[in-house]
Amino acid sequence: MPAMLRAVFIFIFAALAIAGAEWGKEIGSAQYLHYIFKPLTTLAIFFFAWRSKPIVSRTYQTAILIGIICSLIGDIFLMLPGTVFRHGFLCGLLSFLLAHICFLRALISDSRFAGKPPAFAGIAALGIINLVILWPGLPAALQIPVVAYVCLLLCMTAQAISRGLQLRSLSGRLALIGGLCFMLSDTLLAYNRFYTPITHSPLLILSSYYLALWLIAASVTSSPTE
């Protein structure tokens, strides 16, 4: 299947997953669209990364693929209603923590870790500001897991920026934007859950999340000049 056609399928699946989450608030049956197409979208992104050629390196691709699988598991945990599995959010958080470890492994496979210190300083400052704002709304049982997750997310995002600035390649630029989109998506999710409800939160959170995951998946491909 051509790469363009795979991208079209990803877009359609993502649109259906987002529509199900948005409409599910008013039309209960629409929620099943979300349950079906949320994991299918992530699975489609996995196959997109798996079939991409030429690749930056086998190490980079493998780490990204494992990270996407961890994200898929996290998707499933996070979408489960509390009545079905009350620890879904925590398990989803841990799944995405593992995903970011895998993404970070990929991002340091071909570039120096923290090669651009200002990127780490800037992302860390944003993370601290967000934690200070969100801290009063965090349940005590989630404080340590959330802090651990935020540290990994910030580290992954900062390294994506650092790698992009070091390599100045198509792969570097894609992963850089993908890392920033991941941080945006998780920040929106955190504010919506622990600070104040955000209007059309499923649309904003999921669209930035799928864009992030797709860009990170696309970064496994090297350009002809790389």
Side-chain angles (χ1 to χ4, degrees):
M1 184 185 295
M4 181 61 69
L5 188 56
R6 292 198 297 270
V8 169
F9 273 106
I10 292 170
F11 177 81
I12 293 172
F13 288 173
L16 290 170
I18 294 169
E22 279 283 340
W23 297 340
K25 300 172 185 178
E26 301 174 0
I27 308 170
S29 58
Q31 193 69 26
Y32 289 102
L33 279 175
H34 181 65
Y35 293 153
I36 294 169
F37 286 101
K38 185 178 183 183
L40 276 181
T41 305
T42 306
L43 195 59
I45 293 173
F46 172 87
F47 282 108
F48 177 82
W50 182 38
R51 299 292 295 175
S52 293
K53 292 179 182 178
I55 58 174
V56 172
S57 73
R58 183 62 61 188
T59 299
Y60 188 94
Q61 183 189 44
T62 300
I64 294 297
L65 289 173
I66 297 173
I68 296 173
I69 289 295
C70 291
S71 299
L72 173 62
I73 296 170
D75 285 341
I76 295 170
F77 278 129
L78 288 180
M79 75 179 182
L80 290 175
T83 54
V84 175
F85 184 52
R86 66 189 184 93
H87 298 298
F89 182 80
L90 179 59
C91 290
L93 195 71
L94 294 176
S95 298
F96 278 104
L97 185 148
L98 293 175
H100 289 311
I101 291 175
C102 294
F103 295 148
L104 182 59
R105 171 68 184 92
L107 295 168
I108 63 174
S109 66
D110 57 0
S111 63
R112 187 158 55 93
F113 179 69
K116 299 292 183 179
F120 277 74
I123 292 297
L126 285 174
I128 291 171
I129 292 170
N130 284 328
L131 269 179
V132 169
I133 295 171
L134 294 169
W135 194 258
L138 282 175
L142 289 177
Q143 288 176 350
I144 293 177
V146 165
V147 169
Y149 177 78
V150 168
C151 288
L152 258 298
L153 171 65
L154 296 177
C155 194
M156 185 279 292
T157 303
Q159 180 59 25
I161 297 171
S162 179
R163 175 178 178 268
L165 294 175
Q166 289 178 70
L167 299 184
R168 299 186 180 278
S169 64
L170 176 62
S171 172
R173 289 190 293 271
L174 290 171
L176 186 159
I177 301 170
L180 289 172
C181 287
F182 227 125
M183 184 174 175
L184 172 62
S185 177
D186 282 352
T187 300
L188 290 170
L189 187 153
Y191 273 87
N192 183 66
R193 187 179 184 93
F194 301 119
Y195 189 70
T196 187
I198 298 174
T199 305
H200 297 299
S201 58
L203 172 63
L204 298 173
I205 294 168
L206 288 175
S207 59
S208 54
Y209 166 63
Y210 286 132
L211 179 60
L213 210 56
W214 180 77
L215 287 167
I216 290 172
S219 75
V220 306
T221 306
S222 61
S223 67
T225 57
E226 289 179 51

